[in-house]
Amino acid sequence: MNKSNSQKRDLRPALIFLSGDLLAVPIPLERAEVILGRAASADVRLNDSKVSRRHACIKTIENPETGTPEYEITDLNSRSGTLVNGQKIKREILQNGDKISVGEYLLRFELLDEIDREYQLLIRRLLSHDDLTGLLSSQSFFSELRRETQRAKEEKRRFCILMMDVDYFKTVNDTYGHLTGSKNLEEIAFCITETLRSGDAAARFGGEEFAAFLLDAELAQGIVAAERIRAEVENYEFSIIRRGKPPETHRITISLGVAAFPNDSRDPIELVEMADSALYRAKRDGRNRVCAYQDLTAEDAKKPLPPRRD
């Protein structure tokens, strides 16, 4: 492709993740120098023990003959090395479609036009989000949570986990049908996202169970946020879908459990389990309420979680 056609298509460099928890994520290479590594300050952060803190660098340079930009990748004396198309390199000019291996991560270097960029974002969204609600999938939620936990440890920050379960949701499906049930799950997701701050993340864990993590939040702030979600759901007029009949609404409630990093735990999976224990206590104590893991008795905290019912 000649220079004029490239400019006309507005081709821009990007890295596409082909493996790992960032599968299909397009990372635009917008800066003149982009650092790949495990450090919190890395431009493309790769959370893998085999990746050095500053592992590799991609620089935009000018081809002296054509005057067009080229993209040079350099290994920064990493422990495990940087591979391009399966070969270890010290310095290499990247070509469109080259595959880069850094630790356990595999990435593809691509020159994307606007249509390509939109397509990659769509693919990522389909892979990482729940079809019905548009919230993160449980897998994507755990990926984001692991990254945030690592960052919180390095930067001494706090956050909270919320686990949420709709009360008596089986009754909604039995009474009004699954079309209404599906619509109500969309509306609950709306209530959650409208209440959360920008930067917080929410997910649907399947069925009528939801989760969220709140960045830079102490336990007290997490409880306040959970109470706002509970009140928003309680006061919302949920749709009833009945063909050939005028619009109707009904009420739904939700129960929530809260756990805090680092006071409750520094392990992301354990934090989710703790918030789930608090959620079970909220269900057991009457539903439509918020319970914090710190409020559980020692006996409550040790109890195994039975299957939850509506």
Side-chain angles (χ1 to χ4, degrees):
M1 181 178 294
N2 61 39
K3 181 178 176 181
S4 61
N5 285 340
S6 296
Q7 290 176 335
K8 187 175 181 180
R9 289 183 61 202
D10 187 25
L11 296 178
R12 299 183 189 179
L15 294 176
I16 310 295
F17 280 83
L18 301 182
S19 66
D21 52 13
L22 294 172
L23 179 65
V25 173
I27 307 294
L29 302 176
E30 296 174 337
R31 300 173 61 178
E33 180 175 301
V34 175
I35 301 296
L36 288 70
R38 189 165 43 86
S41 59
D43 300 298
V44 180
R45 192 175 180 196
L46 306 172
N47 189 17
D48 176 4
S49 60
K50 295 181 181 179
V51 175
S52 298
R53 293 179 60 79
R54 288 170 57 87
H55 195 103
C57 171
I58 298 177
K59 286 185 178 180
T60 303
I61 61 175
E62 186 177 289
N63 185 306
E65 296 180 1
T66 65
T68 57
E70 293 185 332
Y71 306 94
E72 178 185 75
I73 184 168
T74 303
D75 182 76
L76 301 177
N77 298 316
S78 63
R79 292 189 306 257
S80 58
T82 301
L83 283 70
V84 174
N85 299 325
Q87 300 295 317
K88 270 194 175 183
I89 59 97
K90 285 296 183 183
R91 183 176 282 107
E92 187 84 8
I93 298 296
L94 291 169
Q95 305 298 321
N96 196 19
D98 278 352
K99 295 178 179 63
I100 304 166
S101 298
V102 179
E104 296 294 333
Y105 286 89
L106 179 63
L107 307 96
R108 184 173 62 234
F109 173 79
E110 288 197 12
L111 297 171
L112 305 177
D113 62 17
E114 184 177 356
I115 295 173
D116 293 329
R117 294 193 291 273
E118 290 295 329
Y119 175 74
Q120 287 295 154
L121 290 171
L122 174 61
I123 292 297
R124 172 58 182 169
R125 181 168 181 81
L126 291 173
L127 289 172
S128 64
H129 289 72
D130 173 62
D131 289 343
L132 178 64
T133 63
L135 300 181
L136 291 174
S137 65
S138 58
Q139 181 179 357
S140 295
F141 178 84
F142 278 111
S143 296
E144 294 289 338
L145 178 58
R146 282 191 287 268
R147 281 195 292 275
E148 284 303 326
T149 302
Q150 186 61 36
R151 188 174 73 156
K153 289 176 180 177
E154 293 174 356
E155 300 177 6
K156 294 181 171 54
R157 303 173 74 169
R158 299 175 181 272
F159 65 84
C160 287
I161 298 293
L162 273 54
M163 293 296 291
M164 302 168 264
D165 194 80
V166 183
D167 300 325
Y168 302 111
F169 192 70
K170 184 176 183 299
T171 304
V172 173
N173 284 324
D174 291 347
T175 304
Y176 304 114
H178 289 279
L179 282 178
T180 292
S182 294
K183 179 63 176 177
N184 292 167
L185 289 174
E186 290 183 61
E187 292 169 328
I188 289 165
F190 173 79
C191 290
I192 293 170
T193 54
E194 282 293 294
T195 307
L196 294 179
R197 304 165 303 170
S198 174
D200 297 336
R204 182 186 176 205
F205 268 32
E208 64 272 21
E209 191 170 18
F210 299 84
F213 61 79
L214 315 179
L215 302 178
D216 298 311
E218 304 273 357
L219 175 62
Q221 294 169 300
I223 292 172
V224 168
E227 177 59 31
R228 285 175 178 163
I229 292 172
R230 186 206 63 75
E232 180 72 17
V233 171
E234 182 182 36
N235 295 323
Y236 193 90
E237 294 186 356
F238 288 90
S239 305
I240 298 174
I241 299 177
R242 286 175 172 161
R243 293 176 181 173
K245 293 190 176 182
E248 297 178 73
T249 61
H250 70 119
R251 300 288 185 172
I252 288 175
T253 62
I254 193 169
S255 300
L256 302 95
V258 186
F261 173 94
N263 290 359
D264 291 329
S265 176
R266 294 174 63 84
D267 178 82
I269 305 303
E270 189 174 33
L271 275 171
V272 171
E273 292 173 349
M274 288 173 167
D276 212 37
S277 295
L279 169 58
Y280 177 69
R281 174 65 182 269
K283 302 284 270 191
R284 193 180 67 187
D285 285 356
R287 300 174 175 83
N288 191 26
R289 64 190 62 212
V290 173
C291 181
Y293 180 78
Q294 289 187 7
D295 294 335
L296 270 60
T297 65
E299 184 180 350
D300 286 330
K302 290 178 182 178
K303 286 180 180 176
L305 291 177
R308 261 198 313 276
R309 296 180 175 85
D310 287 331

